[in-house]
Amino acid sequence: MKDIIFVIFGSTGDLTSRKLLPAISKLYSDSQISKNIEVVAVGRRDYDTAAYLDYVVDTDNNKLNKDILSKFVTYYKMQITDQNDYQGLKTYINTISGPLTKQLYYLAIAPQLFDDVAKYLSQVDLVEKNNSHHRLIFEKPFGHDLDSAKKINQMLWKYFDEEQIYRIDHYLGKEMIQNILMVRFANRIFEEVWHNRTIKNVKIMAKETDGILGRAGYYDDSGALKDMIQSHLLQILSLVAMDAPVSYFSDDVKNEKIEVFKNLKFDKQSLIFGQYNGYKDEKGIDEKSMTETFVFLKTFVNTPRFKGVPFYLLTGKKLDVKESVIIVEFEETTEQRKWNLPLSTNKLYIKIAPQDGFGLSLNSKVPGLRDDVENVEMEYCIACQAYGNMTEAYEKLLLDISEGHKTLFTRWDEIELTWKFIDDIKKLQKEPVIYDDYETLEKLIFDLEGEKMS
Ligand SMILES: NC(=O)c1ccc[n+]([C@@H]2O[C@H](COP(=O)([O-])OP(=O)(O)OC[C@H]3O[C@@H](n4cnc5c(N)ncnc54)[C@H](OP(=O)(O)O)[C@@H]3O)[C@@H](O)[C@H]2O)c1
């Protein structure tokens, strides 16, 4: 009997070959996960296991190793939209599972197919509602607005209890996102000053240099607001702004994040939607498309801790650098004002990508005979310190799913409140500004907010 069975629906897709199989292979090779694992790769293509492995090894850029994969992957051919095919899948899974086997069903497929798969898995009793060993995993997009998210969720709750559902926002598996609570609550110097009396503003930015990279179908329906803000950036914001939880168990952490979402407001005047020049010429994009590839907004978290502090959110494509970063800017000191010197404010940089780490900028005397000041930065770069390869987000997420740890997965009420927030912004959507470069957008923000986004 296997300890863990990962059943992947959509095993011939990009997500499986680029993220899931590399992560499972790494966990397996590093003995981080039981060696008594089987990945059942479900697909409609006419492959056997050997042909399937040739296919994924061929399509993958991450140098998947066929010898390692062949130790735990079995290809299972079926039509996932045909109820009759599930009896056969059940028979197969029953031959390799026992009552203690963790059965992890990964929906690496479009959300329109979730209904069929969840229903049929349940109808043949392959998954039992409330059996915590039977888990369902899927990725964003969690719907495209509050109504559609509710529909997906209500459908899934017919067959799975919330405890069995793992919604993946892969940003939450990134090293520095996991580190936010540690930096905040395990360091007295930050814990003491993490509030509106000392923090001036917070900037949360996810910039990309690429365009849509052929994902016209998905992206044109979504846009930057839904693709990035609803999920990744609001999740980050909640971790930066939440109060200390009663404990670090999943539900206690989420209860505090929920308080942030309940108190989240945005400034209507601050909204900037942009579209990169040439977006409408991309293959598959309508020449009249109004979809934004850039969005900026100022938000406020009206809790006693953060009332009055602007949280600026910025994300977009075809910008100056590829970078995801949180910048926490502190107020000036009272003494600082007495010095007639060009003094800067302190900033804590939590660097998420491409290099994980953090930096802290300080004012310091320029060494020498004069009382000049300079801004210096203390740096910690994880990749520079870590031995061996850095852990990929999916390794952490898949390990946590197999061990039943839910902190890094989004609970339904988080999805509900973030969609409500996004729906309210959507109602005010304006025609996007066409931009050629980031400087144009930065100037717009500066003119509007008097803030430099760096
Ligand atoms: N790729 C990523 O990095 C990523 C990141 C975040 C979220 N997601 C989400 O994850 C899901 C999968 O993404 P993906 O990029 O892997 O998509 P993809 O490359 O288009 O793959 C889709 C998979 O679904 C299968 N499929 C499609 N229609 C089917 C049908 N009617 N019956 C049976 N199988 C069908 C495809 O099988 P065939 O090969 O036989 O067509 C393929 O295995 C999507 O919801 C996506 O939004 C993906």
Side-chain angles (χ1 to χ4, degrees):
M1 295 302 125
K2 297 289 173 189
D3 292 337
I4 303 169
I5 303 175
F6 248 113
V7 183
I8 304 181
F9 294 91
S11 67
T12 49
D14 173 71
L15 182 63
T16 303
S17 60
R18 226 165 32 83
K19 297 291 181 189
L20 306 184
L21 292 179
I24 299 170
S25 292
K26 183 80 177 17
L27 291 169
Y28 181 91
S29 304
D30 292 352
S31 300
Q32 292 291 341
I33 205 163
S34 168
K35 296 265 178 193
N36 191 19
I37 180 177
E38 179 152 334
V39 170
V40 180
V42 173
R44 57 185 169 174
R45 300 192 193 186
D46 199 12
Y47 291 143
D48 57 15
T49 298
Y52 171 71
L53 292 181
D54 284 338
Y55 164 76
V56 283
V57 169
D58 257 12
T59 51
D60 174 63
N61 298 322
N62 292 306
K63 300 173 190 58
L64 275 171
N65 182 316
K66 189 177 171 189
D67 292 338
I68 295 177
L69 290 176
S70 62
K71 293 189 174 131
F72 57 82
V73 176
T74 304
Y75 183 74
Y76 188 89
K77 182 180 176 238
M78 64 179 274
Q79 288 293 344
I80 64 175
T81 46
D82 185 347
Q83 180 181 5
N84 299 321
D85 281 11
Y86 283 75
Q87 200 56 50
L89 179 67
K90 179 184 176 182
T91 306
Y92 178 64
I93 290 195
N94 282 348
T95 61
I96 53 171
S97 63
L100 295 179
T101 303
K102 284 158 190 153
Q103 297 182 26
L104 316 175
Y105 294 91
Y106 206 115
L107 306 184
I109 46 177
Q112 303 85 282
L113 295 165
F114 288 6
D115 195 358
D116 277 353
V117 176
K119 183 168 63 195
Y120 298 147
L121 285 174
S122 169
Q123 277 176 1
V124 295
D125 293 328
L126 205 42
V127 296
E128 292 159 19
K129 194 169 178 176
N130 295 320
N131 182 339
S132 63
H133 282 5
H134 296 171
R135 297 170 196 160
L136 185 79
I137 307 118
F138 56 96
E139 299 263 340
K140 77 174 188 86
F142 310 124
H144 51 85
D145 57 12
L146 179 57
D147 276 354
S148 59
K150 269 187 183 160
K151 279 187 191 123
I152 296 175
N153 199 59
Q154 273 155 7
M155 180 275 291
L156 293 176
W157 274 358
K158 279 197 249 165
Y159 313 112
F160 294 86
D161 183 64
E162 176 66 19
E163 215 30 56
Q164 298 171 271
I165 297 177
Y166 290 70
R167 298 179 192 84
I168 289 199
D169 178 334
H170 76 276
Y171 255 57
L172 295 180
K174 287 182 183 283
E175 192 61 55
M176 281 311 289
I177 306 280
Q178 292 179 62
N179 210 346
I180 294 173
L181 297 189
M182 190 72 86
V183 170
R184 285 188 53 191
F185 295 121
N187 292 294
R188 189 72 181 217
I189 55 165
F190 294 128
E191 191 202 23
E192 292 281 306
V193 297
W194 211 263
H195 49 66
N196 54 8
R197 295 186 299 288
T198 33
I199 290 182
K200 196 172 185 176
N201 66 62
V202 177
K203 299 178 179 96
I204 302 174
M205 301 192 276
K207 298 198 222 166
E208 293 171 54
T209 47
D210 286 331
I212 54 169
L213 299 175
R215 291 167 71 219
Y218 163 71
Y219 198 85
D220 204 43
D221 281 344
S222 169
L225 186 68
K226 293 182 179 184
D227 186 43
M228 294 296 292
I229 306 272
Q230 184 272 333
S231 47
H232 310 320
L233 270 69
L234 288 183
Q235 282 294 325
I236 295 174
L237 184 150
S238 69
L239 292 167
V240 174
M242 65 182 249
D243 282 341
V246 178
S247 83
Y248 289 88
F249 289 118
S250 173
D251 276 336
D252 288 332
V253 172
K254 291 188 168 75
N255 291 344
E256 291 303 334
K257 290 168 73 185
I258 285 296
E259 285 308 306
V260 172
F261 294 135
K262 280 186 185 161
N263 287 289
L264 189 61
K265 304 281 178 266
F266 67 95
D267 175 356
K268 292 177 191 165
Q269 309 303 325
S270 71
L271 282 173
I272 300 175
F273 293 93
Q275 187 186 80
Y276 64 78
N277 198 353
Y279 174 75
K280 294 191 190 82
D281 303 328
E282 298 270 15
K283 194 166 171 239
I285 302 291
D286 189 293
E287 58 184 24
K288 294 198 184 88
S289 173
M290 297 253 290
T291 300
E292 78 287 354
T293 59
F294 171 89
V295 65
F296 167 85
L297 69 156
K298 178 164 74 175
T299 65
F300 290 97
V301 180
N302 282 340
T303 55
R305 180 186 287 271
F306 270 119
K307 199 170 172 53
V309 175
F311 282 72
Y312 298 107
L313 307 183
L314 181 155
T315 185
K317 295 192 178 291
K318 293 249 177 164
L319 301 183
D320 57 336
V321 283
K322 179 173 169 56
E323 181 182 52
S324 295
V325 63
I326 306 162
I327 307 175
V328 181
E329 181 173 0
F330 294 88
E331 296 282 2
E332 293 172 345
T333 67
T334 42
E335 287 303 298
Q336 215 170 326
R337 294 184 191 119
K338 296 181 189 165
W339 285 312
N340 192 19
L341 289 170
L343 292 155
S344 311
T345 47
N346 300 135
K347 288 179 186 162
L348 171 68
Y349 297 84
I350 301 178
K351 300 174 184 181
I352 300 157
Q355 248 188 13
D356 319 48
F358 43 89
L360 182 63
S361 73
L362 302 169
N363 286 309
S364 174
K365 182 181 164 299
V366 178
L369 300 175
R370 308 282 170 204
D371 279 341
D372 291 333
V373 67
E374 65 180 341
N375 194 247
V376 294
E377 197 167 317
M378 294 165 74
E379 279 268 352
Y380 167 57
C381 152
I382 295 184
C384 314
Q385 304 282 332
Y387 295 96
N389 291 334
M390 289 278 297
T391 311
E392 280 284 330
Y394 277 88
E395 289 168 44
K396 172 65 178 161
L397 296 170
L398 297 185
L399 183 65
D400 278 8
I401 294 165
S402 72
E403 293 180 350
H405 299 152
K406 293 206 72 183
T407 309
L408 301 180
F409 302 88
T410 34
R411 205 170 61 184
W412 165 247
D413 47 356
E414 295 178 75
I415 305 288
E416 187 175 29
L417 288 167
T418 49
W419 269 128
K420 188 171 173 330
F421 183 73
I422 296 296
D423 284 358
D424 287 346
I425 299 174
K426 254 319 204 194
K427 287 178 202 147
L428 302 172
Q429 176 122 23
K430 305 182 249 187
E431 190 168 335
V433 177
I434 305 295
Y435 61 91
D436 285 306
D437 50 39
Y438 182 61
E439 283 92 78
T440 317
L441 298 163
E442 221 179 7
K443 185 171 178 321
L444 263 180
I445 296 168
F446 191 79
D447 291 348
L448 200 67
E449 295 294 329
E451 241 344 288
K452 281 196 78 176
M453 295 306 287
S454 54

